[in-house]
Amino acid sequence: MQPPSYYPISLLPSLTGRSLARCLELVEAGLVRSLEVPFGDKAKDDGGRRKAKLVPAGRVRAITQIPEGEIAPDPDADDADRIARIVSARADEVVRVRRMKDSSFGGFEVEVPFFTAIFPTERETLLMAFVRLRAPKSIRQRLADDEILSESDVEATVEAVAESAAETVAATRALLASVASDYARRFAEATRDLEDPAAFLRAATQADLERFVFALQGPAEDDMRGATDKWFEKVIGSIHSLRRQSRRRASFAEASGYDRYPNLFPLARSVERKLLFIAGPTNSGKTYEAMRLAIEAPTAEVLSPLRLLAHEHRETLVSAGVRAGLITGEERDEDEDFTHYARTIETIDVGRRVDVCVIDEIQMLADEQRGWAWTQALFAAPADLVVMTGSPDAIPMVERLAKLLGEPLEIRTLQRKNELEAWPRPIGLTDLQRGDAVVAFSRAAVHELREEIVRLGFSVATVYGALSPEVRRAEAARFRRGEADIVVATDAIGMGLNLPVSRVFLAALDKFDGTRRRVLFHSEIRQIGGRAGRFGMFEKGWVGVIGGGAHGVEKIRAALATPPKDLSGRAFVRPNRESVALAAEFLETDDLAQILTFLRSRIVMDHADLQIGDMDEEIDKARRLGGIGIPLLDRLAYAIVPVSLRHPWFMDAVLT
């Protein structure tokens, strides 16, 4: 055992060689720093001033260094204080005056410290009892009335209190030893099945196990048990609580299934699925091949990253003679006769059994904000054939996840069907030609470019995410039919939107990604620029930059010449409705922000292939939804609505 970090004053004489009276004088005069410890568990006496004084171990030596000399008496000391000081010196025990709320005399008490090894901690526990002492009743009343006592009355009181102190200390120490032995035995029994009781104790309790200070009416076992049992039971209760919590946490992990993420989707697991990854750059025909498989199947679902693409895929299905519906975050066109559906990926129906499911842009698995939706689709799609399309750099990640699923994976790698080159020089808006596409990275930039290009005499179609689906389709159709000379779009064009362009020009080489402004990645330049030179219409595609000098052209050349870098790391997941409901039960709360924060720190913590995605915005939305009186899972639905908190009026509309 390590020595105590704090010592009771009654132990100072044996440590310093000074008398108890002298040690008391030095501590009470403030010449030695001391620690005041409230009685019990933050308890106070009637006046709120009664505390035990402990001297830090590092300050004990200071008592020996203070030279002998008279210390000025306390000007507020009365007969009661004088009696307590004389008794302390005579009985060699620390005797104090207990005061009432109005500072009047309430009685005498003796300090009884007792060090004992109850818990497996580095230091013994200090059980420190303050026990009331007997004093002549007549004297108690006169002191309470603040009468001045004669010297003979003082001496008689000192004798009576000193005798009571000696008897009380002896009886209390014996009782403390018995109680401590009982507690040590009970603690050992309560923790006998724990591998490391000390570590568990540290984790279970915030209580200071090094000391417990309490007051007693007298040295009776019932009186002491009433004080100490409450403290000890609280410690044991903390251990039981942590144990229950640990078991519930294990049960939660077991029930939520995130360590066995595939099992969260029983219908998909009941199907003997085959996985097919058609990998290739833009304009390699991978989407055409995937859509052909969907069209030929009796039933199919096509999952897209954008609403605009979902509409385009539905049009492809319908034009092939398929009865196809559409489901996005904004629209639902459903019918019992529909055999095929085009969806945005977040709207996947994991309970609808189909023959083929197409997952477009599978490389989005690595996206921290939205990647969970691609992971969910890959694991949850209840289809005989799951067809993925995307960039070849996703092959290693898809292979790893297929191994986790234990399902057969076929990879078909396609090459671009025509050449893609960098336009040899930066251009200005006056160099644009009919059939060009200009890509900007914000809605404001799209509108600004549109106005400038219109002033040059061109007709312009604009395509960006905030437009209604009808307007977006109409604008894209205008350009396809040649009614618009030039299309100005955001980088959504890179997510598979098919437009008949031979040249794509970037209006900037940097973008704001929702967190910071950064330069475009090579993969983004390839993805966007790859829309140029649609096969069957153009022999070659060109990607260039508006302004920026030779540096911009070199950056585009470097991007086109750099082979795709394999995606590394783990795929992203996000809590589902079932895990939110389980966590609410586990935490015994319907505070959605608290639940999501808990899940973020718990699910797939140590999984080799999966990790939790970015949930900051969802948690912030959940916090704002806290005052809305709707069921928990309804609040979850609103919290995951793709509304940007950068525009407060969007969230205001959700709250309304």
Side-chain angles (χ1 to χ4, degrees):
M1 284 284 182
Q2 294 186 12
S5 55
Y6 292 89
Y7 287 98
I9 297 174
S10 56
L11 293 185
L12 297 181
S14 63
L15 296 170
T16 64
R18 300 247 172 137
S19 69
L20 178 61
R22 183 60 177 170
C23 291
L24 271 171
E25 283 184 340
L26 296 174
V27 172
E28 297 295 344
L31 298 179
V32 177
R33 182 164 60 86
S34 61
L35 173 76
E36 290 191 324
V37 183
F39 278 36
D41 183 19
K42 300 182 180 178
K44 297 180 180 178
D45 74 333
D46 294 337
R49 297 178 301 279
R50 200 151 132 259
K51 297 179 180 179
K53 283 192 175 181
L54 303 176
V55 175
R59 304 295 295 178
V60 170
R61 188 167 174 268
I63 295 177
T64 65
Q65 297 173 335
I66 298 174
E68 293 292 343
E70 187 175 348
I71 295 173
D74 182 357
D76 296 326
D78 56 12
D79 283 340
D81 291 321
R82 188 158 66 97
I83 291 170
R85 188 166 57 250
I86 297 170
V87 171
S88 296
R90 189 171 298 179
D92 210 25
E93 303 289 352
V94 178
V95 175
R96 301 187 189 279
V97 176
R98 187 170 56 84
R99 299 286 180 179
M100 308 301 286
K101 285 185 178 180
D102 58 0
S103 298
S104 64
F105 176 78
F108 295 105
E109 59 190 13
V110 63
E111 172 186 301
V112 186
F114 185 79
F115 282 98
T116 178
I118 297 175
F119 308 108
T121 54
E122 293 179 348
R123 293 184 173 91
E124 292 182 318
T125 297
L126 169 62
L127 296 180
M128 191 163 179
F130 275 68
V131 190
R132 293 191 184 185
L133 298 175
R134 295 187 303 273
K137 185 175 181 181
S138 59
I139 295 296
R140 290 203 307 269
Q141 187 59 52
R142 291 169 64 188
L143 289 173
D145 293 339
D146 206 19
E147 291 185 19
I148 298 176
L149 302 181
S150 66
E151 287 302 316
S152 61
D153 288 336
V154 169
E155 178 60 27
T157 305
V158 167
E159 285 294 329
V161 173
E163 182 181 354
S164 177
E167 294 174 354
T168 299
V169 168
T172 303
R173 284 187 182 279
L175 189 52
L176 284 171
S178 173
V179 168
S181 176
D182 179 44
Y183 288 162
R185 177 186 56 79
R186 290 169 58 187
F187 180 83
E189 290 177 355
T191 59
R192 64 178 179 272
D193 59 335
L194 298 177
E195 291 184 7
D196 189 351
F200 202 87
L201 183 65
R202 287 193 298 270
T205 179
Q206 299 286 322
D208 188 349
L209 299 175
E210 190 177 337
R211 55 184 174 266
F212 177 62
V213 182
F214 55 98
L216 297 176
Q217 293 287 340
E221 183 168 359
D222 289 345
D223 189 20
M224 182 178 290
R225 289 282 189 178
T228 56
D229 278 0
K230 183 178 179 181
W231 164 75
F232 182 75
E233 293 298 339
K234 181 178 179 181
V235 174
I236 295 297
S238 298
I239 292 174
H240 290 328
S241 177
L242 180 61
R243 181 172 294 176
R244 287 193 302 270
Q245 189 180 43
S246 299
R247 288 170 178 166
R248 289 168 63 197
R249 185 177 292 118
S251 298
F252 170 79
E254 180 75 17
S256 67
Y258 273 89
D259 285 338
R260 307 172 317 285
Y261 185 73
N263 294 346
L264 290 176
F265 311 103
L267 181 57
R269 300 290 76 76
S270 70
V271 179
E272 292 188 12
R273 304 193 316 167
K274 294 182 180 179
L275 308 179
L276 170 62
F277 183 13
I278 305 177
T282 53
N283 235 327
S284 60
K286 58 183 182 295
T287 303
Y288 173 84
E289 288 296 320
M291 291 301 292
R292 180 181 60 79
L293 292 170
I295 291 168
E296 293 175 354
T299 59
E301 303 232 336
V302 181
L303 308 177
S304 307
L306 300 173
R307 288 170 297 199
L308 191 58
L309 275 179
H311 280 278
E312 188 173 287
H313 288 150
R314 187 202 194 185
E315 290 172 3
T316 301
L317 293 169
V318 171
S319 64
V322 172
R323 300 187 303 278
L326 174 74
I327 298 178
T328 73
E330 294 181 355
E331 311 110 315
R332 299 185 73 89
D333 183 7
E334 302 175 88
D335 193 282
E336 291 183 359
D337 290 336
F338 290 156
T339 57
H340 291 57
Y341 276 94
R343 298 173 173 268
T344 45
I345 194 161
E346 287 86 351
T347 69
I348 182 175
D349 183 355
V350 300
R352 181 174 184 258
R353 179 83 159 76
V354 293
D355 296 283
V356 171
C357 178
V358 175
I359 305 174
D360 200 11
E361 306 293 350
I362 192 64
Q363 72 275 2
M364 288 289 290
L365 282 167
D367 185 85
E368 189 174 2
Q369 274 72 39
R370 294 184 67 200
W372 65 269
W374 276 261
T375 306
Q376 175 180 264
L378 175 56
F379 282 67
D384 295 305
L385 178 63
V386 178
V387 182
M388 296 162 277
T389 66
S391 173
D393 54 2
I395 289 176
M397 183 174 282
V398 170
E399 287 177 329
R400 236 176 32 246
L401 296 180
K403 185 177 180 180
L404 174 63
L405 287 164
E407 295 175 340
L409 169 66
E410 178 187 353
I411 297 175
R412 298 179 191 170
T413 303
L414 306 180
Q415 303 299 321
R416 184 179 170 90
K417 293 183 178 294
N418 56 15
E419 294 183 44
L420 179 65
E421 293 186 14
W423 193 254
R425 61 187 179 280
I427 70 164
L429 294 182
T430 55
D431 298 317
L432 290 172
Q433 300 173 6
R434 180 180 173 85
D436 287 344
V438 177
V439 177
F441 298 96
S442 71
R443 181 173 54 178
V446 167
H447 284 297
E448 184 179 336
L449 284 165
R450 179 186 182 282
E451 292 176 6
E452 293 184 34
I453 295 170
V454 167
R455 283 197 292 269
L456 295 174
F458 292 107
S459 60
V460 177
T462 54
V463 179
Y464 55 88
L467 290 173
S468 70
E470 293 78 16
V471 173
R472 288 198 300 268
R473 289 201 304 275
E475 288 291 283
R478 283 181 59 228
F479 182 75
R480 290 191 187 101
R481 292 193 299 266
E483 297 171 8
D485 302 318
I486 292 171
V487 60
V488 179
T490 58
D491 51 342
I493 194 175
M495 283 291 185
L497 186 62
N498 286 317
L499 294 172
V501 296
S502 62
R503 304 193 305 174
V504 170
F505 290 98
L506 305 179
L509 292 174
D510 61 355
K511 64 181 283 189
F512 181 75
D513 63 5
T515 304
R516 60 189 173 90
R517 179 160 289 280
R518 60 168 175 78
V519 298
L520 296 176
F521 299 137
H522 283 178
S523 59
E524 291 171 321
I525 294 175
R526 288 193 299 269
Q527 186 77 16
I528 297 167
R531 295 295 118 195
R534 187 174 180 182
F535 180 70
M537 298 182 66
F538 305 100
E539 293 184 0
K540 182 183 291 189
W542 298 92
V543 55
V545 62
I546 297 175
H551 168 74
V553 175
E554 289 306 313
K555 183 172 179 61
I556 290 175
R557 284 189 179 132
L560 298 183
T562 302
K565 184 179 179 181
D566 289 345
L567 297 182
S568 59
R570 296 172 290 171
F572 291 98
V573 299
R574 196 180 70 177
N576 59 11
R577 291 168 62 87
E578 290 74 19
S579 61
V580 168
L582 277 170
E585 182 179 348
F586 171 67
L587 297 172
E588 298 179 354
T589 182
D590 69 345
D591 183 334
L592 182 58
Q594 180 184 346
I595 291 167
L596 292 178
T597 301
F598 168 81
L599 289 171
R600 177 171 61 181
S601 65
R602 291 294 189 277
I603 60 178
V604 295
M605 288 187 347
D606 302 314
H607 203 289
D609 300 301
L610 304 174
Q611 62 183 319
I612 193 71
D614 182 12
M615 293 175 59
D616 287 346
E617 284 216 345
E618 285 78 8
I619 291 172
D620 197 353
K621 292 173 194 172
R623 194 171 289 115
R624 299 191 194 193
L625 288 161
I628 306 298
I630 58 177
L632 173 67
L633 295 181
D634 289 346
R635 268 180 283 134
L636 175 65
Y638 281 104
I640 63 176
V641 167
V643 169
S644 173
L645 292 176
R646 287 184 288 127
H647 305 293
W649 57 89
F650 286 177
M651 196 62 201
D652 289 343
V654 171
L655 292 173
T656 301

